[in-house]
Amino acid sequence: MPSGELRAIRREKGSRGYINELRKRGLLPAVVYGKDKPDMLISVNAKELSGLLKAMGSASAILDLQVEGTDDRHKVMLKEMQRDPVGRTPNHVDFQLVDMNKPVHAEIPVHLVGTPAGVKAGGIIQHGLRTVEVEGLPGKLPPRFDIDISHLDLHDKMTVADITSPEGIEIISEPDQVILSIIVPRAVLEPAESAPVLEENGDKGANGKANGNGHGKTNGNGNGEKAEA
């Protein structure tokens, strides 16, 4: 997986007002941790980080973090991005230091390629997993898994076991977890039922049911007289 350079600025722990001021300036508060080193408090440009991750095609990309005003450069991965619960905009980022010679745990996005035959036949895609958990050396992590789904027909599905990983990368998600399936819409599976046809076997009795002899319910003495209420 290629790496991209991200500039960072050292920051103080500060108050909520200080953190909000950083955000107003377009900076994301962040922390770098790992390798048994003290946490490093930084801030990064929100637009720069977003553009970099988009260009690299994966949130699990390896980033070259350069701390402005110093010679400090660190290889990091984005481990968590907290978002505002209302606007869903990023408001804090956690980075993890990585050793390029040691395996890391990462989530790799799944990218679907093609239009399934089952969709052309009237089916719809039901999504399952959108990322797959893997372990491997940072430099060998793929930016994403491209999966051809054009051959999938109605009722077919694709699971984690169907993914082929690059050499040196181990997929640790459960093999039977479903990535997607092609389902038939309910409207197709369950056509509208026709209305039942009522047979007319004589006059209806007082209770609305036809009794077959043109009279109401009998009183049990066999004389055909109507029972008293």
Side-chain angles (χ1 to χ4, degrees):
M1 177 181 288
S3 61
E5 186 173 296
L6 178 66
R7 295 171 297 170
I9 304 172
R10 285 270 195 174
R11 66 175 175 88
E12 302 296 328
K13 188 171 184 179
S15 63
R16 179 175 295 181
Y18 167 70
I19 296 299
N20 287 337
E21 182 60 31
L22 288 177
R23 292 174 180 146
K24 288 179 181 179
R25 291 162 47 196
L27 299 175
L28 272 177
V31 61
V32 181
Y33 64 89
K35 291 186 176 179
D36 300 321
K37 292 184 178 181
D39 291 351
M40 179 171 60
L41 302 180
I42 60 172
S43 61
V44 298
N45 185 284
K47 289 184 177 180
E48 184 178 344
L49 175 61
S50 177
L52 187 58
L53 294 177
K54 184 177 181 179
M56 299 182 70
S58 175
S60 297
I62 305 301
L63 303 177
D64 287 316
L65 191 70
Q66 180 179 10
V67 181
E68 290 189 354
T70 72
D71 293 329
D72 293 346
R73 298 180 71 92
H74 307 276
K75 295 285 189 181
V76 300
M77 290 178 61
L78 189 153
K79 295 303 293 182
E80 183 179 4
M81 181 179 289
Q82 300 173 19
R83 295 181 179 273
D84 179 83
V86 178
R88 302 303 299 160
T89 55
N91 58 21
H92 191 276
V93 181
D94 289 355
F95 293 106
Q96 179 183 356
L97 291 168
V98 298
D99 185 334
M100 298 300 288
N101 297 313
K102 294 183 179 179
V104 295
H105 177 278
E107 290 188 6
I108 305 300
V110 173
H111 178 238
L112 307 180
V113 180
T115 301
V119 170
K120 295 178 181 178
I124 59 176
I125 296 177
Q126 185 174 62
H127 291 278
L129 292 183
R130 295 182 184 271
T131 61
V132 176
E133 296 183 49
V134 305
E135 283 187 350
L137 292 177
K140 290 183 176 290
L141 295 177
R144 64 187 187 185
F145 287 118
D146 289 321
I147 302 176
D148 181 12
I149 60 173
S150 59
H151 64 284
L152 296 180
D153 211 335
L154 293 173
H155 307 295
D156 285 349
K157 65 180 179 180
M158 180 165 285
T159 66
V160 170
D162 296 315
I163 297 178
T164 301
S165 61
E167 183 179 356
I169 298 299
E170 179 185 2
I171 297 177
I172 59 177
S173 293
E174 292 296 328
D176 59 352
Q177 286 187 284
V178 176
I179 296 172
L180 83 158
S181 53
I182 310 300
I183 64 173
V184 180
R186 184 178 296 274
V188 176
L189 288 174
E190 301 178 1
E193 296 181 0
S194 58
V197 177
L198 297 177
E199 294 185 5
E200 296 185 0
N201 295 322
D203 298 334
K204 292 183 178 179
N207 61 0
K209 295 182 180 179
N211 59 16
N213 60 7
H215 295 289
K217 185 178 180 182
T218 62
N219 61 8
N221 58 11
N223 58 13
E225 295 179 356
K226 291 183 180 179
E228 296 182 359

